[in-house]
Amino acid sequence: QAVQEYQNALLHNPNFALAHTYMAVALTFIGRIEDAFNHIAISERLSPQGLFFGVNNLMRAVAHFFAGEHREAIVFARKSVSESPGIVTGYRHLVVNCALVGELDEAKAALNILKRLQPEISLAWVEKWLPYRSANDRQKFIEGFRLAGLD
């Protein structure tokens, strides 16, 4: 439904950079990774001053996570938290992807920052509130948090 709504918004205003960013979010969560990357590129072309770069790089990290490309996800999660340090989802993806590739020191450091930004973070919170395309993605995300030391 979200994809349909963003398509409608872009039909009315194809130069709406933020709609392209959020279209990428919707496409990522239904598994249309390449389409998501295309909308991120359009958003950045329309808004070259970087207004949405933290969010766009976060969505690149999320898309790479779903594609099983954890090292690439780390690159974009790092950029996201550097560009927009208050985006907790950037830290979530930095924690999980670092842990999944064995970069536990960085995963634990990012988890410490995440706990300051989101004190209620726990495995139970993750299981209840975070959207996943599949049960496998959910378990992989939770396993990354476990490896990093989240209870």
Side-chain angles (χ1 to χ4, degrees), residues 20 23-25 27-28 32-44 56-65 67 69 72 76:
H20 283 284
M23 172 66 97
V25 172
L27 292 168
T28 295
R32 291 177 48 192
I33 306 301
E34 287 305 314
D35 290 336
F37 285 135
N38 289 336
H39 279 279
I40 291 168
I42 293 168
S43 174
E44 290 177 348
N56 286 338
N57 281 318
L58 168 60
M59 289 321 305
R60 284 185 177 99
V62 173
H64 282 297
F65 169 81
E69 300 164 345
E72 290 85 352
F76 292 107

Side-chain angles (χ1 to χ4, degrees), residues 11-146:
L11 181 65
H12 288 85
N13 184 356
N15 295 320
F16 187 11
L18 187 59
H20 283 284
T21 292
Y22 283 105
M23 172 66 97
V25 172
L27 292 168
T28 295
F29 281 99
I30 63 169
R32 291 177 48 192
I33 306 301
E34 287 305 314
D35 290 336
F37 285 135
N38 289 336
H39 279 279
I40 291 168
I42 293 168
S43 174
E44 290 177 348
R45 194 169 56 248
L46 293 170
S47 181
Q49 297 303 314
L51 181 60
F52 312 120
F53 282 8
V55 175
N56 286 338
N57 281 318
L58 168 60
M59 289 321 305
R60 284 185 177 99
V62 173
H64 282 297
F65 169 81
F66 284 138
E69 300 164 345
H70 303 296
R71 293 210 177 270
E72 290 85 352
I74 292 168
V75 169
F76 292 107
R78 285 176 183 151
K79 286 181 181 183
S80 176
V81 300
S82 172
E83 294 161 349
S84 299
I87 297 180
V88 294
T89 305
Y91 285 101
R92 288 185 207 131
H93 276 274
L94 189 55
V95 169
V96 166
N97 286 287
C98 283
L100 290 172
V101 299
E103 294 184 19
L104 294 180
D105 289 340
E106 186 173 0
K108 290 175 183 188
L111 180 58
N112 286 332
I113 295 168
L114 176 60
K115 285 179 176 180
R116 285 195 304 273
L117 294 171
Q118 185 185 1
E120 74 278 10
I121 189 76
S122 67
L123 292 177
W125 186 94
V126 171
E127 288 178 9
K128 182 176 181 180
W129 293 106
L130 295 185
Y132 300 90
R133 205 175 45 159
S134 71
N136 183 49
D137 290 331
R138 172 181 294 280
Q139 285 312 113
K140 188 168 53 167
F141 205 75
I142 291 168
E143 179 61 18
F145 271 119
R146 277 194 186 109

